[in-house]
Amino acid sequence: MTEPAITARGLRKSYPGKNGDKIVLDGVDLTVPAGTIFALLGPNGAGKTTTVQILSTLIPADAGTVRIAGHDLARAPDEVRGAIGVTGQYSAVDKLLTGRENLLLMADLHHLPRKQGKRTADALLERFDLVEAAGRPASTYSGGMRRRLDLAMTLVGDPRVIFLDEPTTGLDPRSRRTMWQIVRDLVATGVTIFLTTQYLEEADQLADRIALLDHGRLIAEGTADELKRLIPGGHVTLTFADADRLGAAHRIVGTGAADPQALTLQVPGDGGADALRDLLVALDEHAVAVAGVAVHTPDLDDVFLTLTGQTKENAR
Ligand SMILES: Nc1ncnc2c1ncn2[C@@H]1O[C@H](COP(=O)(O)OP(=O)(O)OP(=O)(O)O)[C@@H](O)[C@H]1O
Ligand SMILES: [Mg+2]
């Protein structure tokens, strides 16, 4: 067993406020296996950036332990810093410098020899489709280009663990997809990605595991499918060739809603494999042929809104 890339236990953080301390993180535990994408999902003010800042050694936690890339964050912060890269929620790009100059500056900060720095910069410009824009000041870049440059700058140090704080907020759907592909390509090279997002679809698309953060606590954690199964609303829809079979199936299953027009039987359930197999086996034992099966799991939106106690109307 290799050690997880990130382990955090009992993270706490509060800031002094007018009416006593404001608790921002209230005992957060996280485990991110190496070579995977982990998404921390939460609404504005949930504590996402605070978590990233603590894990990336930018601010201290009030309590808790963190291990990253095999190093204890409290005892070996420099080793942790050497292993990670951070792309913050707000850009680190210097707008007065060109894209290339920004990258060369990062190479200097990482003490890369001149030649190697130039090679690294050129390779990253190529990889992030910024060759044409490389000589222009970053102030002339679009939002998507600036995000790509930002991430390219993070990669100059060849980090094993990368933190991306809301990497696609404010990007149009096309730029968002480009960024997703970049993240997937990165993980394919073996790095570990810890990203925060407010977009459920983004977590669904990218993440191996997702944690929902709300008011400084993790209210759920799992794969997208596991999270979707946490809340009611899932069902299996069976389709039959005729009304006789539908009627027989309804009697055998003993539950659900039959639709004689559509010849479907909708059976409530979590959409899990076991329940589905039991259902099909029961019908098969009675020789009732099933023409079609569709599993409906609630989407992450439903999960998030249910678990945070929000309704779709007041959520955004
Ligand atoms: N330096 C600080 N001093 C006081 N309060 C702070 C400080 N930094 C963060 N907070 C508070 O902590 C809470 C969590 O902030 P954080 O930036 O971690 O949220 P977030 O999940 O990243 O939100 P967003 O989606 O808006 O980026 C907020 O209520 C914020 O006001
Ligand atoms: Mg934030």
Side-chain angles (χ1 to χ4, degrees), residues 24-313:
V24 178
L25 295 182
D26 193 10
V28 169
D29 297 338
L30 298 164
T31 304
V32 182
T36 66
I37 303 179
F38 184 90
L40 186 63
L41 190 64
N44 287 134
K48 301 184 298 295
T49 295
T50 304
T51 304
V52 167
Q53 287 173 329
I54 291 171
L55 296 180
S56 59
T57 79
L58 294 173
I59 61 170
D62 297 337
T65 56
V66 177
R67 284 184 68 80
I68 293 183
H71 305 288
D72 182 286
L73 188 137
R75 269 185 243 129
D78 287 340
E79 282 80 353
V80 170
R81 268 176 225 127
I84 66 172
V86 189
T87 304
Q89 185 169 2
Y90 303 103
S91 176
V93 171
D94 186 330
K95 291 186 199 168
L96 296 178
L97 301 180
T98 68
R100 194 153 197 276
E101 285 165 348
N102 268 292
L103 286 166
L104 291 174
L105 182 66
M106 288 308 289
D108 275 352
L109 291 175
H110 284 283
H111 308 295
L112 294 188
R114 259 258 124 74
K115 254 201 173 142
Q116 196 191 333
K118 278 186 179 165
R119 238 183 296 131
T120 302
D122 286 338
L124 286 166
L125 288 166
E126 184 83 40
R127 179 165 164 198
F128 287 82
D129 198 16
L130 291 168
V131 173
E132 263 172 57
R136 278 199 269 131
S139 58
T140 67
Y141 286 18
S142 71
M145 291 163 79
R146 214 170 288 169
R147 287 294 170 111
R148 297 207 300 278
L149 177 58
D150 221 356
L151 182 51
M153 287 162 63
T154 303
L155 297 186
V156 169
D158 203 15
R160 303 307 300 152
V161 179
I162 300 174
F163 294 92
L164 303 174
D165 196 359
E166 300 198 22
T168 69
T169 298
L171 297 189
D172 67 29
R174 200 198 153 120
S175 304
R176 176 165 300 150
R177 265 157 215 288
T178 305
M179 194 55 100
W180 289 351
Q181 194 52 49
I182 289 171
V183 169
R184 291 194 188 102
D185 292 346
L186 275 174
V187 161
T189 69
V191 303
T192 306
I193 306 259
F194 183 105
L195 69 89
T196 75
T197 182
Q198 300 181 34
Y199 301 114
L200 299 142
E201 195 203 351
E202 180 156 291
D204 206 352
Q205 283 279 333
L206 284 182
D208 297 296
R209 296 188 75 75
I210 300 166
L212 302 187
L213 185 66
D214 190 38
H215 293 109
R217 284 171 186 265
L218 292 190
I219 54 172
E221 212 242 302
T223 63
D225 285 339
E226 284 166 358
L227 294 179
K228 287 173 193 171
R229 269 188 245 119
L230 276 181
I231 67 158
H235 57 260
V236 176
T237 304
L238 302 171
T239 312
F240 300 92
D242 54 53
D244 285 349
R245 290 195 177 93
L246 172 61
H250 200 181
R251 279 191 299 280
I252 294 159
V253 176
T255 175
D259 181 339
Q261 236 88 63
L263 296 175
T264 57
L265 179 64
Q266 188 169 306
V267 185
D270 63 1
D274 287 348
L276 183 59
R277 193 187 50 230
D278 291 349
L279 192 60
L280 294 176
V281 165
L283 293 173
D284 193 47
E285 279 170 356
H286 291 83
V288 177
V290 178
V293 180
V295 176
H296 299 266
T297 40
D299 66 13
L300 273 182
D301 257 314
D302 300 322
V303 179
F304 190 69
L305 297 174
T306 305
L307 293 178
T308 58
Q310 294 177 309
T311 61
K312 287 213 182 200
E313 286 68 49

